[in-house]
Amino acid sequence: MRSSNSLTPALDAIGTAMDQRFDRLLPIPGDGRDRLYAGMRHAAIGGGKRMRPLLVVAACDLFNVDRERALRVALAIECVHCYSLIHDDLPCMDDDDLRRGKPTVHKAFDEATAVLAGDSLHALAFEILADPATHADPSARAELVLELARASGPSGMAGGQMMDLAAAENEFDLTATTRLQQLKTGALIGFCLEAGAIMGHIPDDRRTPLRGYAHDLGLAFQIADDLLDVEGSSDKTGKAVHKDAAAGKATFVSLLGVDRARTQAGMLIDQAIDHLHSYGSEADLLRAIARFAIERDF
């Protein structure tokens, strides 16, 4: 069984695959859009854990999906993730200066470029999914587009970010904080697993284990992020730390305490892995990703 310690080669490989594809997809055009493309490249190439693309590939591996097609879906989810980070970092949102160990897009360029770079990466995700190169079956491509739209919009990531902004001004309890993170972080993680099932033509009634895995992994992943904000360093995480406490936001750590939060994350990972009990070695990468989610220091 693959351990979380052996995940580094897989993370390195998916990082290289994403960087190569973004490099080919975003050549500087040599016209008035150069600054826009440079901003998109700045956000998308280099750095980051690339956990979401790796989850897509791992989910597709369960159903023997062609690797190149799986990587196209992985690229689409990374487009959405990068767009969300660009916008989250803006002064009107979280107002961050550092992301993935380098200046945020609005700092490296300007706010207008950052907004347009995020908008463009968002649109690019759906262009990739809708292309016949992603899947020969148009109904599968349509389902991918539908599910990513749901996961990234007001019923998913964007809705969670709105709740996160409200959390700085309101007292959120554990139930509200859990709901916030299920939308902001969990929805895109859920799409990663759903995408593997869609690509493999797996019927809805056989997707329950994957949805359970995604649900528990998403919460554990966020608890780990909250712990890193308290205990981590910006040198390792590549972003500012101790921001949640400074902003007065409720987090799993502030509500549960460090020890209980860490225990809860471990229980969630055990549950996530248990959801995969019907799968054999083909799910070992998903199991390793789950363990890595709470053992990482970045």
Side-chain angles (χ1 to χ4, degrees):
M1 183 177 292
R2 188 195 301 253
S3 73
S4 63
N5 291 331
S6 68
L7 199 62
T8 300
L11 287 169
D12 289 344
I14 196 68
T16 298
M18 293 297 99
D19 284 350
Q20 290 173 343
R21 282 158 179 77
F22 276 124
D23 185 48
R24 292 198 298 265
L25 196 61
L26 300 171
I28 302 297
D31 57 25
R33 299 169 295 163
D34 284 2
R35 192 171 181 83
L36 170 61
Y37 275 79
M40 294 167 72
R41 291 174 65 88
H42 180 86
I45 298 176
K49 295 177 285 294
R50 311 291 196 179
M51 288 286 289
R52 291 158 188 81
L54 187 59
L55 276 169
V56 170
V57 169
C60 286
D61 281 352
L62 292 179
F63 310 114
N64 298 310
V65 174
D66 175 77
R67 178 54 61 91
E68 190 54 42
R69 292 189 172 190
L71 285 170
R72 288 184 61 84
V73 182
L75 190 66
I77 192 69
E78 189 65 6
C79 281
V80 169
H81 182 53
C82 289
Y83 122 73
S84 74
L85 298 181
I86 295 173
H87 284 191
D88 284 2
D89 290 337
L90 287 168
C92 63
M93 296 273 197
D94 293 344
D95 194 14
D96 277 315
D97 297 342
L98 186 69
R99 174 69 68 177
R100 293 180 168 178
K102 55 189 177 183
T104 50
V105 177
H106 71 274
K107 284 293 183 181
F109 297 87
D110 54 71
E111 289 183 37
T113 300
V115 170
L116 291 173
D119 290 347
S120 297
L121 284 166
H122 181 258
L124 190 58
F126 294 98
E127 182 179 339
I128 292 167
L129 293 183
D131 193 304
T134 299
H135 202 294
D137 183 356
S139 65
R141 300 197 305 270
E143 189 176 0
L144 287 169
V145 168
L146 174 63
E147 292 302 328
L148 184 55
R150 283 175 173 163
S152 58
S155 297
M157 180 185 66
Q161 175 64 5
M162 188 71 247
M163 290 183 71
D164 194 36
L165 293 172
E169 302 172 359
N170 299 277
E171 298 241 345
F172 273 35
D173 60 12
L174 186 59
T175 299
T177 300
T178 300
R179 178 59 176 159
L180 184 166
Q181 300 301 349
Q182 284 174 333
L183 296 178
K184 184 177 180 181
T185 303
L188 284 189
I189 288 176
F191 170 79
C192 296
L193 277 297
E194 200 78 18
I198 294 168
M199 293 291 285
H201 280 308
I202 304 305
D204 192 77
D205 61 0
R206 287 179 53 200
R207 299 181 190 180
T208 301
L210 298 181
R211 290 167 180 166
Y213 169 93
H215 174 273
D216 292 338
L217 175 66
L219 288 177
F221 189 88
Q222 186 57 50
I223 293 173
D225 262 7
D226 290 351
L227 286 165
L228 285 173
D229 187 66
V230 172
E231 301 177 326
S233 69
S234 58
D235 290 342
K236 288 283 186 70
T237 63
K239 59 184 179 180
V241 295
H242 311 306
K243 287 203 67 177
D244 291 331
K249 288 182 181 179
T251 67
F252 289 115
V253 174
S254 70
L255 292 167
L256 297 173
V258 169
D259 291 341
R260 282 185 63 201
R262 186 171 285 112
T263 298
Q264 184 65 29
M267 290 172 58
L268 286 164
I269 290 304
D270 288 344
Q271 289 175 190
I273 292 172
D274 191 55
H275 284 299
L276 304 174
H277 71 272
S278 62
Y279 294 99
S281 60
E282 69 274 18
D284 279 352
L285 180 54
L286 285 174
R287 297 182 182 103
I289 291 171
R291 295 187 186 94
F292 174 81
I294 59 170
E295 295 171 2
R296 62 194 168 93
D297 60 1
F298 65 96

